[in-house]
Structure formats: structure tokens, C-alpha cells
Amino acid sequence: MNRIFTQKLNKNGLLFGDGAMGTMLYSRGVFVNTCFEHLNVSRPELVRQVHEEYAATGVDFVKSNTFGANRLKLSRYGLGEQTEQIVSAGVKLARESCRPDMMTAASIGPLGVDIGSYDKALRAKAAEVFAEQVKISADAGADVLLFETFSNCDELICAIEAASASCDLEIIAHMTINDSTETDYGSRIDESMRCVCRYENVAAVGLNCSTGPAAMLESIELVRGAVNKPLSVQPNAGYPRNVDGRTLYMCTPEYMAEYAKRFYEKGAQVIGGCCGTTPEHIAAIINAVRPIKKSVTYKQPAIKIPAELAERLEPAPLETKSQFGAKLAAGEKVISIEVSPPRGFELSALIEKAKLCKDRGACTINIPDGPRASSRLSAMVTALMIEQQCGIETILHFCCRDRNIIGMQSDLLGIQATGLRNMLIVTGDPPKLGDFPDATAVFDLDSIALIKVIRELNRGIDIAGKSLGRRLELVIGAGANPAAAEPEREIQRYRQKIDAGAEYFVTQPVFDDESLLRFLDAAGGSVPVIAGIWPFSSLKNAEFMANEVPGVSVPERLLERMSKLKSREDAIKTGIDISREMISRIEDTVAGFAVSAPFGNVNIALEAAGL
């Protein structure tokens, strides 16, 4: 059997497929009543262009434009006699568009007829149709067969058996589901996938189409528990909506990327997209998941601590490390104002904002490190200049994305040497498409591993287990997301961060106090938690937080409240009111608040904080 797919999957551990062909062709003016597969011969340059755009994102395989290129479906367009020409051209176009190291997956869809084991004649005819398309695809150079969007398990099995008798290619077998985790024929998806896994030539199983990524996440868990094959997912970009007579898929690339990370965490080893997805969606998925895969598979450095050194160097108490640490240790409420470093190198405006925050009574200035994978002035330099020129402490975010372990230790030693003390350790957002589309991520460590490193540095032991002679005195903070889509996993990581050495937490912006209270009650622990607060400045800003920022949940009632406002002034005032209401509801539960300054406007943040 030709096992190129399995060999690549075993080697890489994770493979990325492309996105929708029909969506791309439709966006280029091809009418929906056109036979899209016939474009392989009538407009090959258009199909090739789509393949090349997907290939440029860095996928591991592209799908041929042959989903409905079987004799039965083509006959409806009067093209049945051109089946071989259309299928062969489709596979060759995909192959010619690929890099040498990429695979071509022959896309094969259902026939659209009700195949049951009771109708032997119909089943035999279906097998003949599938076998023809499979053989043409294999002869044209396909590396793997992708059976997708099947809702009838009997029909999928018929296709698999026909493929087994026609060629030696492996199969990725996809079914489609509804919101009840069932097929359109009422079968449980886990039971259907269990039947499909019996076939040797099936190399991976999973789901595609039908629902958006959120609904598919629950179903993939069911499948994972039922099968012994690698999992593959290719969701739509959400549910289609009709806008001015056009069918549109509303999920943004960033939204898809966030769910792709969750699919990977749930065990998916093959990830791509279906209806509504574009090269932008696929690029975002790859940029989000590939660095995480690297960090997960990286062997974390073992920090060997000689017993005599560990006994001799005790970490400094929290209350002695900084004024901020002393307030946390004493149980005093802390107010931090978050301001991002500038994109250039001019700091005078930011210094004035920091002075204003100090004069109004803020405890610290919170400095993000490359927020949303952007390139800005060094967060460490920004924090140092603020502390030196304004006399107010900072909380320095420290991101795992941009440094290897050698660079991390060097920077941490530098932070100690310059007098900075308060840290917030974050794994970091993977690089996104934007100003630096070719940027790579390091991710030698994630936030939990880095917290462990700093804990040992605070005992005078470096990453290699050698004595530094003196201990560092850094206050170790970590992030938490009370509204995480997977609360159990977030709680687990929260506890792991405490065990690793976290001394306080700062949450993602909180817009739903009930989610925060549930999270804190379930997580337990005595480590201070500072709630993130984001004052809306407009409806557009509120919608951006709701739809574009991973890990943030904005209740519909708040969006509706913001939508009723007519002026910018009313929007800002209402945003401040919403933040104050949130602070009032949770102030007895948390250690303080980290209030963001929307678009750098610290006056809004100070008003929201009541300063």
C-alpha cells in the first residue's frame, strides 16, 4: 500500500490541509449553478490560481477540484462522458500547483443517492461510480484519497471498499454532522466512525463541513474516544448567512485559528478548512497551531538543582521584592493601568501618561510584550524608562514566543540587574499575517515552564542547574482566562502555574462576573487574582473584543447596550459605566484590577478604575 500520507504524518505529527475551493471560485465570479469541476478543463488557470494561493500558506496537502467529479453527478450537467478528463485534469492541476514536498489529495464526495445495504443493485452501481473516480485519481498522481462530506455511513463504506479494490492509496474519511452530533441519517458520529476505522486503507478519520468550529469541537471529542486512527477536522467558517442575496461565512481567520488550537489540543492531527474558508483562514490556522505543536513536542529543559544549593538559597518573601508585591502580600487592593509600548521609539507621550497614572493613584503600569504578535518598542526598555522617569512601578509582560531559552535567561538576568521586579509570564500569541508575514515563533518554553525557570532563578539556580551566586528577586505573575472555552483545561493550567511558582494572576478582560466567580470557585487556591478590565470606547470596539480577541467573551446584553448609543461621548461614558459596574460586583472577590487603556487613552482607564 502507498503510505506516503501516514509516513508524513508520523514524521511531522501534524499535517495541514487547504480550505474551500467553491468559496474561492464563487468569490471570483463563478455562478453557483456552474459545474465547478468542469472548470478544470474550461478554465484551468483559475483553478490553478486557487491551488497556488493555498500552497503559498504552507499547507502539507491541497485538495483537487474533484469533489463532485463522478459520472453520476457530472451527467446532470451533460458531462458524464468527460469524467476521466475532468478528474484527471483536476488532480494534475493540484499536483502542478504543489511544492515538491506537498501531497495532492483527491477530493471525492458523496453521490447524493440513498445507499443502503438492502439495495444490492444500487450499491453495486455506486461502487462502480466510486471506483471509476478513484482509479482516475490514482492514475493522475494523487497521493491520498479524501472522502469528505459523507452523511451516510453505508455510502462512505461503499466508497472505501470500492477504493480498496481500485488502487493502493490511503484514505482520509470524513463525515458531516448536525448540532446533535449525529449524521443526517440519525446515526451517532462516534458509532459511524468506529465502523469506518475497521478498514486498513483508512489512514485518518474525522469531520468536515456542516457546522462551524465551535459546534465541531464537541463532536471531535466523541470521535476521539471511539477510534484508533489519527483525527482530521475541516470545519466551515461558521454557519452561512444570507447577506444581500449572497451566501457568506462570517468566521474571521483569527476566530478559526483560535479553534484550530483547540482542535489540536483535543487530538486532531490533520487540520484544514471547508466551506467559507480562504487562504487567509488557512494561513492563520497554520501560524497559530504550528508553533504550539513545536512547543508541545520540545523537550523542556530539566533543571537539576543540587540539594545543597537548594537548601542554602531560599527565595525572597513576596512582600520584600517590590512595593507591588508588598501590597499583594498585605491584601491591599491594587490598581494597574495597562498601556502598550509605542510602535516607534518616541516615549515622551507614554511617559506623560504614566506620570498621570501615578498622580491619580495607580499602583503600577502594566506593559504588554508584543501584544497580538505586533512589533513594538521593547517592553523591557519601556518599563525601565517609566520606572526611572516616573517613579511608579511597572508590571513587565514577558513573552515566550520570541526568545529561546538562552535569550530568556539573559533577559531575566538583565531585568534583575536594572531593578525591574514585577513580571507577568505569558506564552504569547503566535505570529499572525500582517506587517511581518514570514515571522517565526520560538516557543522553547510555554508560560508554565518559564515560571518554573524563574522560580529557580529566584533561588539562585540557572537553567543549567548551576549556581548564580545570588538569587533573583522577581515577582512571578501569570495569566488566567475565566471565560475559556475549555474551563477544565484552563483550571488545570491555572493550578499548574501555581505549582510552578506563580505568585499572582491577571485575568483576561472580564465582562461576565458569573464566569469569573465560577472559575475562581472551581480553581480554588490562595494566590491573589487581579481582574482584567477593558472599558469599551465604541460599539465597534465592543464587537472587536467579542469577535476578534481569542479567549474573551462579551455577553450579548452588553453588545446590545452599546448598540443603542448615538454619539462617541455616550459610548465612552457607557463603556466606563460598564467597567465600574463590573468592578463593583467583583471587588470583594479579587485582589485588584488591571484596567486597559483603549487605544492608549489612560483617562478612560483611570475613570473606569475610579481614580
Side-chain angles (χ1 to χ4, degrees), residues 420-481:
L420 300 174
R421 291 294 180 266
N422 308 310
M423 308 285 295
L424 182 66
I425 308 305
V426 295
T427 299
D429 297 317
K432 303 288 194 296
L433 289 178
D435 296 336
F436 303 95
D438 296 323
T440 57
V442 182
F443 289 124
D444 274 2
L445 305 175
D446 69 357
S447 59
I448 296 173
L450 183 54
I451 289 169
K452 292 179 182 178
V453 167
I454 300 175
R455 179 189 64 190
E456 300 309 323
L457 290 171
N458 279 350
R459 302 174 72 178
I461 311 298
D462 74 1
I463 292 176
K466 298 177 181 179
S467 173
L468 294 170
R470 294 180 60 183
R471 69 189 180 188
L472 277 64
E473 297 183 358
L474 302 178
V475 179
I476 308 173
N481 182 12

Side-chain angles (χ1 to χ4, degrees), residues 328-462:
L328 290 177
E332 297 180 31
K333 282 286 187 290
V334 295
I335 301 292
S336 179
I337 305 299
E338 179 176 307
V339 183
S340 295
R343 293 187 180 275
F345 57 86
E346 176 55 56
L347 268 172
S348 57
L350 188 60
I351 294 297
E352 292 305 312
K353 293 176 182 179
K355 289 179 179 178
L356 177 61
C357 292
K358 179 188 178 184
D359 293 343
R360 296 274 288 271
C363 172
T364 64
I365 303 296
N366 208 344
I367 310 294
D369 184 7
R372 297 176 62 74
S374 62
S375 177
R376 295 173 178 267
L377 180 64
S378 161
M380 181 167 63
V381 170
T382 302
L384 181 61
M385 297 296 286
I386 288 175
E387 293 207 5
Q388 289 179 343
Q389 297 187 32
C390 304
I392 183 173
E393 287 191 354
T394 59
I395 298 176
L396 172 62
H397 293 208
F398 194 91
C399 177
C400 300
R401 177 190 58 237
D402 308 319
R403 311 164 176 88
N404 65 17
I405 55 176
I406 299 172
M408 287 182 191
Q409 177 160 298
S410 295
D411 282 347
L412 290 167
L413 295 175
I415 289 166
Q416 172 72 27
T418 59
L420 300 174
R421 291 294 180 266
N422 308 310
M423 308 285 295
L424 182 66
I425 308 305
V426 295
T427 299
D429 297 317
K432 303 288 194 296
L433 289 178
D435 296 336
F436 303 95
D438 296 323
T440 57
V442 182
F443 289 124
D444 274 2
L445 305 175
D446 69 357
S447 59
I448 296 173
L450 183 54
I451 289 169
K452 292 179 182 178
V453 167
I454 300 175
R455 179 189 64 190
E456 300 309 323
L457 290 171
N458 279 350
R459 302 174 72 178
I461 311 298
D462 74 1

Side-chain angles (χ1 to χ4, degrees), residues 430-594:
K432 303 288 194 296
L433 289 178
D435 296 336
F436 303 95
D438 296 323
T440 57
V442 182
F443 289 124
D444 274 2
L445 305 175
D446 69 357
S447 59
I448 296 173
L450 183 54
I451 289 169
K452 292 179 182 178
V453 167
I454 300 175
R455 179 189 64 190
E456 300 309 323
L457 290 171
N458 279 350
R459 302 174 72 178
I461 311 298
D462 74 1
I463 292 176
K466 298 177 181 179
S467 173
L468 294 170
R470 294 180 60 183
R471 69 189 180 188
L472 277 64
E473 297 183 358
L474 302 178
V475 179
I476 308 173
N481 182 12
E486 298 177 66
E488 292 182 2
R489 178 180 180 276
E490 184 67 17
I491 290 170
Q492 180 185 34
R493 287 183 61 82
Y494 176 89
R495 292 170 178 165
Q496 288 174 339
K497 290 173 184 178
I498 293 176
D499 292 340
E503 297 173 291
Y504 74 96
F505 286 87
V506 176
T507 75
Q508 288 274 58
V510 176
F511 299 102
D512 180 5
D513 55 306
E514 292 183 1
S515 294
L516 173 66
L517 297 177
R518 282 195 303 269
F519 176 83
L520 295 177
D521 184 59
S526 57
V527 175
V529 175
I530 299 169
I533 299 294
W534 181 286
F536 298 136
S537 58
S538 64
L539 172 61
K540 184 178 180 180
N541 179 227
E543 291 176 332
F544 175 82
M545 294 299 295
N547 299 318
E548 301 289 342
V549 180
V552 172
S553 175
V554 180
E556 189 65 34
R557 56 182 169 78
L558 297 184
L559 295 176
E560 184 177 353
R561 184 173 171 184
M562 293 297 295
S563 70
K564 296 178 179 179
L565 306 172
K566 303 299 182 183
S567 68
R568 182 175 183 274
E569 291 73 18
D570 286 344
I572 291 174
K573 180 181 182 303
T574 301
I576 291 171
D577 289 343
I578 290 172
S579 293
R580 285 182 171 179
E581 291 163 10
M582 178 60 65
I583 289 173
S584 176
R585 288 197 295 270
I586 64 176
E587 60 182 343
D588 293 335
T589 310
V590 296
F593 303 96

Side-chain angles (χ1 to χ4, degrees), residues 98-172:
C98 291
R99 303 186 313 270
D101 61 326
M102 290 171 56
M103 294 178 289
T104 299
S107 173
I108 298 175
L111 304 181
V113 295
D114 188 1
I115 297 177
S117 57
Y118 55 86
D119 192 333
K120 295 182 179 180
L122 181 58
R123 190 179 186 88
K125 177 61 177 177
E128 180 183 329
V129 173
F130 281 126
E132 179 184 30
Q133 186 177 0
V134 165
K135 188 176 187 308
I136 297 170
S137 300
D139 291 344
D143 298 303
V144 64
L145 304 174
L146 175 60
F147 291 147
E148 51 182 343
T149 324
F150 281 76
S151 57
N152 184 338
C153 186
D154 285 333
E155 184 179 12
L156 178 55
I157 288 173
C158 176
I160 292 170
E161 291 175 347
S164 301
S166 305
C167 73
D168 64 349
L169 295 181
E170 292 181 305
I171 295 169
I172 308 169

